[in-house]
Amino acid sequence: MKKRIWNKVVSIFTAILLVVGIVPNTTVTALAAAPDGQVLYVGGVQISSTGYWTTDSEGNVTAYSGAGTPSDNYIHYDADTNTLTLHNTTIKKGLDYNESIQGGTFILGSAIGVFNQNGDAELTITLEGDNTIAEVGKGIYVLAISTGGATLTITGDGSLDASASQTGIWVQSNNGNGALFIQNAKVEAMGTNTAGYGVNVQSSQSSTASLSVDGGSLTASGAPGILYDSSGSGTIPNTTTLTISNSAIVDARGGGIGAGYIWNLSGVSPTDDSVGIVFGLDLSDSKAGAVYGDVTLQEDLEIGEGESLTIPNGSALNGNGKLTNNGTIIVEKGGNLTGNPGGIIVTAPAITTDSLPNGTVGESYTATLEATGNNITWSASGLPDGLTLNSDGTITGTPTAEGTSTVTVKAENSAGSTSKDYTLNIKPATVPVTGLELNKNSLTLQEKDSDTLTVTVKPADATNQDVTWQSSNTSIATVSADGTVTAISAGTATITATAADGSGVSASCTLTVTHGKMVHIPKKDATCTEYGNEEYWICENCGKYFSDANGDTEIAKDSWIISAINHDWNDAVYTWSDDGSTCTATRTCKHDSAHTETSKATVTGAQTKAPTCTEKGETTYTATFEADWAMTQTKVLADISATGHSYGEPVWSWSEDGKTCTVTFTCQNDSSHTEQPEVNVTSEVTVPDHNAQTTEQRPIRQVLN
């Protein structure tokens, strides 16, 4: 942002001139214990030690005698840290002017008054909830009477509304630095009298008068709202500073920011690391504000009717849903606004038109300039004779002379301006085209072949000799900008050349595209295992399939295929080995006996008839196949040998007279099997042995023949 000097005469002692310098962000720490000899009054009550006080609806301050912390509406003072905590307080009583305070009469009438006659005067105020100071001469007054500086720090997440007839908040150092620090708190200060100030920061010659707002906000109104002052007429503080950080808001729309007893000082541009919003820097327009750095609103901000906020180059504002615009927001080039706060938003223009079209002598000319931004005023220099730049950014008219001009165009609004140079060529008056003649009126090409058409423009001195080419069917053929025709597929198309000067004159060529070499594929019958095909032709150029040699009838790619007829199998034939150990199944195709399939079996055997003495036993063999077309087979073989006879002891049977005898042999394997061989019987006389003690009749000897 440009450095500015603001001058405004106000009725404060003498002419008040503005000087505010924005300095880098400053971290403010809590103050140490109260300086020796410092005196503190709150609501007319002197406070010198740690304790609690309460306030009522009338704004009276009373010492708290109860135990613990009051429930609400209380003041707490910590003497060790020199910190005054305001918790939902209302203070409407100032230090009585009838009081006799040695060396401190200046703080009479203040709701909160601090002074130190020698050395620094310091106080930290912590805000809790909503707090109010009203109906007093001075709201908060921190004063170093003789030597030293005066410092006030206001912090906490609460708010303070301080109004007084003279000054809402006053920090004064007669011989040192005067400083007001606001940290994350919401503070409003108002001077209600005609010459009252919202905030007054005062220092002596060659000292510093500084105001720092780190987060939160300061709203000040008066005459002016914020006053940087010097303690002596004609003295000049060494530095007058305003520090903003952490998206803080300093709002002095109610009177602006001014300086008293300070002569011939100029405003200073903010440093790059300042982050916040300031209203009232320009005393000629105290309703104007500016954004510094990358700001995200932390609390609600409204721009009222007749008020403005400027976002300069390098700064950005994120409304964060808390910005209401009923006035004007000016976004300069390089600034950025996020969100839609409503109201009037004026964005710095940026010309986006790249070039201006050429013109022709005697012909109507129109060109439209485009730019970002709004409420743009256009101006131009260097326009050719006959042309005019209109308020809507259009250049219109009829050029009267040929030549080349450098045209400088300027777009501006309240947010800024930008310029751009263009080269504008005005050509001589044109000679229209009356006729076109092609070198060929008809043309035949095979697919994928190409040829180039040429055109003759009439008259020969026509200003614009260019033509445009077009194919009536780009699936049949295409044509390039130089007249090269490329055949795509068989068929007919019209190739047209049209004069580019807008006369509408054209000429055409009829194109016929034919197929290339046709390859004949004869018919082939299908077999059990192989596909066959119908008769067809293939074009070597396009690769398409046709049912005729001329390529008149296209057929689908696979329509000529004759599917394989597949096998038609006879019933399976089964072959056993002689011993029943193997069996093979074989089937033969009915279409071709050479096509056979075989499947071997898994053979199991089981005895199904036992052998007898005279007959063999039988085994049944079962063949099971893997192939699903083969059925299970059986084979019976008499392959178990007969057991043969096994006769036991003979059984003899005699007749009564002993003349005959039969013998019977019975098979032990089968009792039904017997044999009776012939028996010859002979006799013999046996002489008894008389010496024996018993007599035995010996049997007649039996002889088997």
Side-chain angles (χ1 to χ4, degrees):
M1 177 181 273
K2 297 179 179 179
K3 292 185 177 181
R4 299 172 178 168
I5 299 176
W6 301 280
N7 296 303
K8 183 179 181 180
V9 178
V10 297
S11 58
I12 306 172
F13 303 107
T14 185
I16 297 176
L17 306 174
L18 170 67
V19 55
V20 180
I22 309 298
V23 299
N25 299 349
T26 302
T27 301
V28 181
T29 58
L31 298 174
D36 293 339
Q38 180 168 290
V39 179
L40 170 64
Y41 285 87
V42 180
V45 178
Q46 184 174 357
I47 296 177
S48 59
S49 61
T50 300
Y52 287 93
W53 290 258
T54 60
T55 66
D56 58 21
S57 60
E58 300 299 321
N60 298 303
V61 177
T62 305
Y64 179 67
S65 59
T69 304
S71 61
D72 204 0
N73 312 118
Y74 64 83
I75 300 168
H76 177 258
Y77 180 64
D78 187 338
D80 292 334
T81 61
N82 195 27
T83 299
L84 188 70
T85 300
L86 304 182
H87 184 91
N88 291 325
T89 60
T90 300
I91 305 173
K92 296 182 179 180
K93 303 295 182 182
L95 184 59
D96 197 322
Y97 282 91
N98 294 321
E99 293 285 343
S100 178
I101 304 173
Q102 185 179 2
T105 57
F106 288 101
I107 69 169
L108 295 176
S110 59
I112 300 176
V114 177
F115 76 91
N116 197 339
Q117 189 167 1
N118 293 295
D120 297 331
E122 301 175 352
L123 179 65
T124 296
I125 297 177
T126 300
L127 302 178
E128 298 178 355
D130 298 326
N131 301 274
T132 300
I133 296 174
E135 301 178 13
V136 294
K138 303 165 185 171
I140 302 173
Y141 191 18
V142 180
L143 169 65
I145 299 176
S146 299
T147 61
T151 302
L152 172 62
T153 300
I154 303 176
T155 186
D157 57 5
S159 65
L160 172 64
D161 185 354
S163 63
S165 60
Q166 296 182 37
T167 304
I169 299 173
W170 192 349
V171 177
Q172 178 179 350
S173 173
N174 285 344
N175 290 288
N177 299 324
L180 172 59
F181 299 95
I182 297 175
Q183 293 180 297
N184 298 314
K186 184 176 182 180
V187 178
E188 296 186 25
M190 176 184 293
T192 60
N193 284 352
T194 303
Y197 315 132
V199 173
N200 188 357
V201 182
Q202 191 176 72
S203 64
S204 63
Q205 183 179 6
S206 301
S207 300
T208 299
S210 63
L211 170 61
S212 176
V213 184
D214 181 13
S217 64
L218 170 63
T219 302
S221 57
I226 300 174
L227 176 67
Y228 290 89
D229 204 358
S230 179
S231 59
S233 177
T235 63
I236 301 176
N238 185 47
T239 307
T240 304
T241 64
L242 172 63
T243 301
I244 52 173
S245 56
N246 196 25
S247 297
I249 299 175
V250 177
D251 187 352
R253 283 175 283 185
I257 303 173
Y261 294 115
I262 301 174
W263 303 92
N264 300 322
L265 296 180
S266 61
V268 180
S269 297
T271 58
D272 293 339
D273 53 0
S274 296
V275 181
I277 298 175
V278 180
F279 288 92
L281 281 175
D282 188 350
L283 281 176
S284 65
D285 185 8
S286 64
K287 303 296 185 182
V291 176
Y292 302 99
D294 191 353
V295 176
T296 298
L297 286 183
Q298 305 303 317
E299 58 185 71
D300 293 338
L301 175 63
E302 180 178 349
I303 303 171
E305 185 177 354
E307 299 175 346
S308 66
L309 179 64
T310 298
I311 307 174
N313 180 26
S315 294
L317 174 61
N318 179 2
N320 198 26
K322 299 179 180 296
L323 177 61
T324 301
N325 178 32
N326 295 316
T328 302
I329 297 177
I330 300 171
V331 184
E332 296 183 345
K333 186 177 182 180
N336 184 56
L337 173 64
T338 302
N340 184 15
I344 299 172
I345 300 175
V346 181
T347 304
I351 300 174
T352 58
T353 301
D354 294 328
S355 61
L356 294 177
N358 295 331
T360 303
V361 174
E363 296 182 7
S364 178
Y365 181 91
T366 299
T368 301
L369 297 168
E370 295 182 349
T372 60
N374 51 8
N375 300 326
I376 296 174
T377 299
W378 293 94
S379 61
S381 62
L383 284 172
D385 293 341
L387 299 184
T388 302
L389 176 59
N390 305 303
S391 59
D392 61 354
T394 59
I395 301 175
T396 60
T398 302
T400 59
E402 64 177 287
T404 300
S405 302
T406 298
V407 180
T408 301
V409 176
K410 182 179 182 181
E412 61 182 331
N413 59 18
S414 58
S417 65
T418 184
S419 298
K420 192 170 184 178
D421 292 337
Y422 297 95
T423 298
L424 178 54
N425 293 316
I426 303 299
K427 299 182 293 183
T430 60
V431 177
V433 175
T434 59
L436 297 177
E437 184 178 322
L438 297 178
N439 63 325
K440 296 179 181 179
N441 294 323
S442 62
L443 179 63
T444 300
L445 295 174
Q446 286 190 356
E447 292 172 326
K448 296 185 178 182
D449 288 347
S450 63
D451 197 0
T452 300
L453 298 176
T454 60
V455 61
T456 301
V457 179
K458 297 179 179 181
D461 62 346
T463 302
N464 190 345
Q465 298 281 319
D466 296 333
V467 297
T468 59
W469 295 91
Q470 186 176 16
S471 170
S472 64
N473 191 338
T474 55
S475 65
I476 302 298
T478 61
V479 59
S480 63
D482 65 351
T484 298
V485 179
T486 301
I488 305 298
S489 62
T492 59
T494 301
I495 307 300
T496 303
T498 303
D501 68 346
S503 62
V505 176
S506 64
S508 299
C509 173
T510 300
L511 172 67
T512 302
V513 179
T514 62
H515 293 292
K517 180 181 178 181
M518 303 292 285
V519 180
H520 179 236
I521 308 298
K523 183 176 180 179
K524 177 183 176 183
D525 293 331
T527 67
C528 301
T529 57
E530 294 182 351
Y531 287 101
N533 61 267
E534 301 288 352
E535 182 183 38
Y536 67 96
W537 285 260
I538 303 175
C539 176
E540 284 189 336
N541 284 346
C542 66
K544 295 180 179 179
Y545 300 81
F546 302 90
S547 62
D548 62 286
N550 295 325
D552 296 329
T553 305
E554 185 179 354
I555 59 176
K557 178 180 179 180
D558 298 328
S559 64
W560 42 263
I561 295 176
I562 302 174
S563 299
I565 59 177
N566 298 323
H567 296 297
D568 186 7
W569 300 102
N570 291 310
D571 293 338
V573 177
Y574 302 92
T575 304
W576 285 90
S577 62
D578 292 338
D579 62 357
S581 63
T582 62
C583 184
T584 302
T586 304
R587 65 177 181 175
T588 304
C589 181
K590 296 176 181 179
H591 302 308
D592 190 342
S593 60
H595 296 165
T596 62
E597 286 186 349
T598 62
S599 178
K600 290 187 176 181
T602 299
V603 179
T604 59
Q607 178 180 306
T608 54
K609 181 179 180 182
T612 66
C613 302
T614 59
E615 294 181 353
K616 292 183 177 181
E618 295 178 352
T619 301
T620 299
Y621 294 92
T622 302
T624 304
F625 299 89
E626 293 181 357
D628 58 1
W629 51 265
M631 301 179 62
T632 301
Q633 301 294 307
T634 60
K635 182 179 179 66
V636 180
L637 294 178
D639 56 358
I640 303 174
S641 300
T643 61
H645 296 298
S646 177
Y647 292 105
E649 294 294 324
V651 177
W652 302 93
S653 178
W654 289 93
S655 64
E656 291 293 330
D657 59 2
K659 292 182 179 181
T660 61
C661 180
T662 60
V663 63
T664 301
F665 292 90
T666 303
C667 182
Q668 295 179 342
N669 295 328
D670 189 344
S671 61
S672 67
H673 295 167
T674 61
E675 287 190 13
Q676 292 181 329
E678 181 179 356
V679 179
N680 292 324
V681 180
T682 61
S683 63
E684 143 180 45
V685 178
T686 305
V687 180
D689 185 358
H690 296 282
N691 294 322
Q693 297 193 12
T694 60
T695 304
E696 177 183 2
Q697 180 68 46
R698 298 184 181 273
I700 297 175
R701 183 172 56 180
Q702 53 191 9
V703 181
L704 294 177
N705 290 336

